[in-house]
């Protein structure tokens, strides 16, 4: 019986040690990804950033972004897929269903729009933009 209890205790301690080693909850530092509110004009953002929209009230919410250089960006919806999210320039509108890669022009004003007309359970919506190391001039999907 003593051997059984010692073995059982050893197994429990081993499980606790292994479980604790998996709990590396290093939170990202605030410098890693900058988060902007949709209510602030975003000018010359960093290479990776997020925009947070307050969508607790029905209607369009507008974020205004101007990029420093002409580059290719990965644009991702981080929230629920039912939220309508799109980008506008002066001529066109591009709906972002989940994520899209677009070449965006430097010095040009873009409007990112989040809309929650149907779902009252949502209060915030995040989107993330990440600069990609792709050639702007040869990239076909310019917006």
């Amino acid at each position: 019986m003593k051997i059984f209890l010692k073995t059982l205790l050893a197994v429990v301690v081993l499980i606790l040690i292994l479980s604790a080693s998996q709990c590396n909850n290093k939170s990202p530092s605030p410098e890693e990804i900058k988060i902007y509110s949709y209510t602030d004009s975003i000018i010359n953002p960093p290479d990776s950033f997020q925009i947070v929209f307050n969508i607790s009230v029905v209607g369009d919410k507008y974020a205004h972004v101007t990029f420093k250089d002409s580059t290719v960006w990965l644009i991702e919806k981080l929230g629920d897929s039912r939220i309508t999210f799109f980008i506008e320039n002066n001529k066109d509108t591009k709906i972002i269903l989940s994520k899209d890669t677009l070449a965006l022009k430097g010095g040009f004003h873009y409007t990112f729009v989040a809309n929650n007309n149907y779902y009252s359970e949502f209060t915030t919506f995040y989107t993330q933009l990440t600069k990609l190391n792709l050639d702007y001039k040869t990239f076909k999907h310019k917006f």
Side-chain angles (χ1 to χ4, degrees):
M1 187 69 164
K2 283 185 175 184
I3 294 174
F4 175 74
L5 290 175
K6 287 181 180 180
T7 305
L8 181 62
L9 180 62
V11 169
V12 170
V13 169
L14 183 61
I15 290 172
L16 289 173
I17 290 171
L18 290 174
S19 296
S21 68
Q22 298 299 318
C23 293
N24 184 7
N25 293 332
K26 179 187 171 234
S27 59
S29 67
E31 294 81 34
E32 288 182 26
I33 296 183
K34 174 85 172 154
I35 300 175
Y36 294 94
S37 170
Y38 75 100
T39 59
D40 300 327
S41 292
I42 304 167
I43 300 171
N44 302 336
D47 292 352
S48 184
F49 68 100
Q50 294 179 356
I51 305 171
V52 61
F53 295 86
N54 176 357
I55 57 170
S56 61
V57 179
V58 173
D60 290 341
K61 306 299 182 273
Y62 301 95
H64 302 282
V65 182
T66 303
F67 298 96
K68 180 178 181 180
D69 300 314
S70 297
T71 52
V72 180
W73 291 85
L74 172 63
I75 304 167
E76 301 175 272
K77 286 173 68 171
L78 300 181
D80 194 283
S81 63
R82 295 176 287 179
I83 303 302
T84 304
F85 179 64
F86 53 96
I87 179 175
E88 296 177 334
N89 60 22
N90 288 338
K91 297 184 283 186
D92 296 317
T93 299
K94 174 75 172 159
I95 296 174
I96 309 295
L97 296 176
S98 173
K99 59 184 172 181
D100 206 341
T101 305
L102 298 172
L104 302 177
K105 188 176 180 180
F108 189 81
H109 174 86
Y110 291 95
T111 303
F112 292 83
V113 183
N115 184 300
N116 178 24
N117 279 336
Y118 306 107
Y119 307 101
S120 61
E121 68 266 23
F122 300 120
T123 58
T124 57
F125 170 75
Y126 286 83
T127 183
Q128 181 165 321
L129 286 82
T130 306
K131 186 189 290 188
L132 301 177
N133 193 17
L134 299 173
D135 184 41
Y136 176 84
K137 292 178 184 176
T138 59
F139 194 80
K140 294 188 188 270
H141 300 288
K142 293 185 175 58
F143 186 74

